[in-house]
Amino acid sequence: MPIDSQTSVSETVQRMWGYDKLRPMQEQAILAGIEGRDCLTVLPTGGGKSMCYQVPPLITGKATIVVSPLIALMLDQVRGLELLGYKAAAMHSGIDYEESTDIAKQLLTGDLDLVLAAPERVVTSSFKTLIGLLCDHDRLGCIAIDEAHCISQWGHDFRPEYRRIADVRKVAPNVSIQAFTATATPRVREDILKQLKLRDPEVMIGVFDRPNLIYRVQSREKASEQIAAAVARHSAAGDSSGAIVYCLSRKDTEKIAEELRALGLDADAYHAGLDVSKRHNIEQAFSNETLDIVVATVAFGMGIDRSNVRLVVHASMPKSIEAYQQETGRAGRDGLDAECLLLYSPSDGGRWERLIEQSAEQNGSDPKAQLELVRGMRRFVASFTCRHQFLSEHFGQEYTLPEGQSDTSNGCGACDVCLGETAQEDDAHRIGQIIMSAVARTGERFGAAHICDVVRGGNGQRIKGYGHDSLRVHGMLENRRKTEVMSFIDQLVASEALVRVVEDRYETLAFGDCGIAVMKGLETIALAKPIGTGTEKSERNRRTKASRVIERRPMSE
């Protein structure tokens, strides 16, 4: 099929999807696919990366094979494309041999433009044979790798089978390979290029900052009540659009969904333990806006076509900043203001680290890279700096205020820190000294929970058994809540006054680079204290303090 670059792209997109124009980077990536050039495209969630590999087959007449990690994501995409009249199919473990054979025949005869397949299938000898036949018949235009961060051990969802995808090039030496992801730090991007052996690739990086998202981190106390308070805040502003609540476990999704229903909210749980029809019904209800709140494990939302999600809640800390960026990116895809609320407990990080270590022990892998991702997320929640700035810099980009916003006095104006919803702890100097002294006097041999008990005056058997009830620092922070002290410890870790040391699955606190200076009072680490945790009183406080942005951000308060 003859190619007339931009003109053909514009006409095709208008005819198939009804869009008048593309985002600049979308068009650049589509042209790379049409012209058969290798590329790496990083477009944050909501940036339209799937269209980048869906358009070229309609112009070149050659099929695209898409490597995709989740069956649910494949099926969602195929369903959406079929509704548009686009010829697509998915090859996965849920189809039988006859159906798989039929898809292969349709690829060879030109009756399919796009096929999604799992990485485990793509690297099999039978699939490589299919790729070879497609090349012999000049039917294969491109191999697209979706969720390409999975190929990197530094990515937040590393999957070893992705490493073998590069071998496909041996049977398709003249076919371009294009990698796509929504989240990749500079280190991950370099690893993707190296592992896939991309040839003179074009690298396109979108802007990671989403200025319409309002980031909040709250101490988790009564999660369901805090979530309900956030939903009520949006309802009070006249907005009753959808909300997604992410949980770590299936059990948590069921529990929170039940509690939200008891509070009078329209909520349903979603996880891999539900049968396929049940999951599909929930997906459809949420997409069709007949279900308000989905309480889900992290897979939900990939491929869900609902642009007006106004609230994304993490009921516990995600395992990495990359995962957080991807999941919060499902909010406000229509460009209007949306809220991203993270409910955090200091125990969340330890829980993730234990799961990672157990998984590494079972499959014989090195957990170092994944553990570092968890610690990066811990630094984010403990940080007393602008959330938008922190996220932008994490992904290697300098943060700049949104276009048209020249007043820097309120920072980004779209996170708890810049909205004044956190406040600096007046007694930070003394608190830092007390905690550092407790770590020193207990020999740098205990974890955060034990240190917290010591300074709060705990008298449990363990405290007494070690004689820590006789330490000078014992009880010096007895007037502080446990969640408050644990947050201070996290902030001291984020500031590198303390470091977490993990040996034999047991985590202890030790002095970091500036630890001695903080303990001796030579240096003070600024500590933040939250104004509230989502209770009725604190929500009134929150609305008052954020009143200056209500007019600009009506969805947030």
Side-chain angles (χ1 to χ4, degrees):
M1 182 180 291
I3 299 172
D4 185 14
S5 60
Q6 280 102 333
T7 302
S8 294
V9 171
S10 299
E11 291 175 351
T12 300
V13 170
Q14 172 65 40
R15 172 174 52 85
M16 183 63 68
W17 286 275
Y19 296 135
D20 293 328
K21 61 180 181 179
L22 290 164
R23 298 176 178 88
M25 204 162 295
Q26 275 184 309
E27 185 169 9
Q28 194 178 347
I30 290 169
L31 290 175
I34 291 170
E35 296 164 8
R37 291 180 281 115
D38 286 2
C39 72
L40 167 61
T41 304
V42 184
L43 283 176
T45 303
K49 61 186 173 68
S50 58
M51 192 176 286
C52 297
Y53 56 72
Q54 292 168 354
V55 173
L58 302 179
I59 296 174
T60 65
K62 297 181 181 181
T64 289
I65 289 174
V66 182
V67 182
S68 181
L70 293 173
I71 294 177
L73 181 59
M74 294 186 214
L75 296 178
D76 285 338
Q77 192 167 160
V78 169
R79 278 195 294 265
L81 290 172
E82 287 178 339
L83 289 173
L84 296 172
Y86 189 113
K87 297 178 293 182
M91 298 179 76
H92 53 81
S93 58
I95 64 174
D96 57 29
Y97 176 77
E98 288 184 4
E99 190 173 355
S100 178
T101 301
D102 184 54
I103 291 173
K105 288 179 180 177
Q106 290 183 69
L107 264 176
L108 287 166
T109 57
D111 292 321
L112 283 174
D113 291 316
L114 184 142
V115 168
L116 296 109
E120 299 89 345
R121 181 178 288 261
V122 171
V123 297
T124 62
S125 57
S126 60
F127 202 92
K128 289 179 181 178
T129 299
L130 172 60
I131 289 175
L133 288 171
L134 289 169
C135 291
D136 292 342
H137 290 78
D138 197 24
R139 279 284 303 125
L140 185 60
C142 172
I143 297 172
I145 318 296
D146 201 6
E147 308 297 335
H149 58 268
C150 294
I151 202 170
S152 172
Q153 65 171 328
W154 299 105
H156 68 278
D157 193 20
F158 174 53
R159 294 180 57 164
E161 59 271 19
Y162 259 72
R163 292 276 176 123
R164 298 168 57 198
I165 294 173
D167 293 341
V168 171
R169 178 143 258 169
K170 295 176 182 177
V171 294
N174 299 318
V175 173
S176 66
I177 293 180
Q178 298 192 308
F180 297 89
T181 180
T183 53
T185 60
R187 171 188 256 175
V188 171
R189 298 197 288 266
E190 287 298 320
D191 206 14
I192 291 171
L193 296 174
K194 177 183 177 182
Q195 297 298 330
L196 286 176
K197 300 180 176 65
L198 298 186
R199 299 178 300 209
D200 191 24
E202 185 166 358
V203 179
M204 293 160 278
I205 312 297
V207 177
F208 283 95
D209 184 50
R210 295 279 305 281
N212 64 312
L213 299 186
I214 302 167
Y215 298 110
R216 288 188 168 101
V217 179
Q218 292 179 8
S219 174
R220 185 175 70 250
E221 295 189 356
K222 296 180 180 179
S224 296
E225 292 182 15
Q226 291 171 265
I227 295 166
V231 171
R233 187 165 62 246
H234 288 262
S235 297
D239 173 49
S240 57
S241 298
I244 302 174
V245 180
Y246 285 113
C247 300
L248 177 56
S249 69
R250 299 177 185 180
K251 182 179 178 181
D252 289 343
T253 66
E254 298 281 1
K255 178 177 180 290
I256 290 179
E258 182 178 351
E259 290 172 349
L260 291 178
R261 287 194 295 269
L263 292 169
L265 298 175
D266 179 24
D268 216 336
Y270 179 100
H271 53 74
L274 302 175
D275 61 56
V276 175
S277 62
K278 174 70 171 174
R279 293 201 305 270
H280 177 63
N281 289 340
I282 293 172
E283 291 168 3
Q284 290 299 106
F286 189 74
S287 295
N288 296 334
E289 302 186 22
T290 57
L291 174 64
D292 293 336
I293 304 169
V294 172
V295 186
T297 47
V298 294
F300 183 82
M302 300 182 77
I304 296 297
D305 186 20
R306 182 166 179 175
S307 62
N308 66 340
V309 174
R310 297 270 76 82
L311 175 66
V312 169
V313 179
H314 283 87
S316 63
M317 188 189 82
K319 69 176 179 179
S320 68
I321 293 174
E322 288 80 359
Y324 178 72
Q325 175 83 356
Q326 186 172 47
E327 290 149 20
T328 55
R330 289 161 193 157
R333 291 172 67 167
D334 55 6
L336 300 178
D337 288 350
E339 178 179 0
C340 303
L341 172 63
L342 195 165
L343 303 178
Y344 170 70
S345 169
S347 63
D348 291 345
R351 189 178 178 189
W352 272 118
E353 289 177 358
R354 286 190 296 274
L355 287 172
I356 290 168
E357 288 168 349
Q358 288 168 9
S359 176
E361 188 174 308
Q362 290 170 3
N363 58 35
S365 62
D366 184 352
K368 181 180 177 181
Q370 295 299 305
L371 290 173
E372 181 54 39
L373 293 177
V374 173
R375 288 159 193 163
M377 191 66 209
R378 276 178 149 171
R379 288 191 288 272
F380 172 76
V381 299
S383 173
F384 193 36
T385 59
C386 170
R387 309 286 182 193
H388 283 267
Q389 179 182 339
F390 191 107
L391 292 171
S392 293
E393 292 176 353
H394 175 81
F395 289 104
Q397 295 182 342
E398 182 180 354
Y399 175 69
T400 56
L401 290 174
E403 188 176 347
Q405 183 179 332
S406 57
D407 183 7
T408 61
S409 60
N410 293 328
C412 71
C415 75
D416 54 350
V417 175
C418 295
L419 288 172
E421 296 175 6
T422 59
Q424 190 159 330
E425 170 57 55
D426 295 333
D427 204 16
H429 185 82
R430 188 179 74 93
I431 290 171
Q433 284 186 297
I434 291 170
I435 292 173
M436 297 305 301
S437 181
V439 172
R441 290 170 186 271
T442 55
E444 298 179 273
R445 295 171 44 239
F446 296 87
H450 186 85
I451 297 301
C452 179
D453 283 345
V454 170
V455 298
R456 291 185 68 245
N459 287 302
Q461 185 176 351
R462 198 159 183 261
I463 296 286
K464 291 180 177 180
Y466 284 107
H468 293 165
D469 56 332
S470 62
L471 294 177
R472 184 181 175 187
V473 292
H474 182 261
M476 292 186 77
L477 295 179
E478 62 183 356
N479 62 329
R480 299 287 186 155
R481 291 178 302 143
K482 179 178 179 179
T483 52
E484 207 173 6
V485 175
M486 291 293 279
S487 174
F488 293 148
I489 292 173
D490 271 353
Q491 292 176 66
L492 289 170
V493 172
S495 301
E496 299 182 354
L498 289 171
V499 294
R500 288 186 167 93
V501 179
V502 180
E503 290 184 7
D504 296 326
R505 299 185 184 176
Y506 184 73
E507 181 180 276
T508 60
L509 293 174
F511 274 48
D513 292 343
C514 62
I516 292 176
V518 172
M519 184 178 69
K520 291 183 175 181
L522 302 176
E523 186 173 333
T524 299
I525 301 296
L527 299 176
K529 58 180 179 181
I531 285 174
T533 57
T535 63
E536 183 180 351
K537 180 179 178 181
S538 67
E539 285 306 313
R540 288 199 301 269
N541 207 356
R542 188 182 308 284
R543 284 192 286 271
T544 300
K545 287 184 171 292
S547 61
R548 62 184 179 275
V549 297
I550 287 178
E551 185 176 334
R552 188 172 77 84
R553 299 186 181 278
M555 301 298 176
S556 66
E557 305 299 335

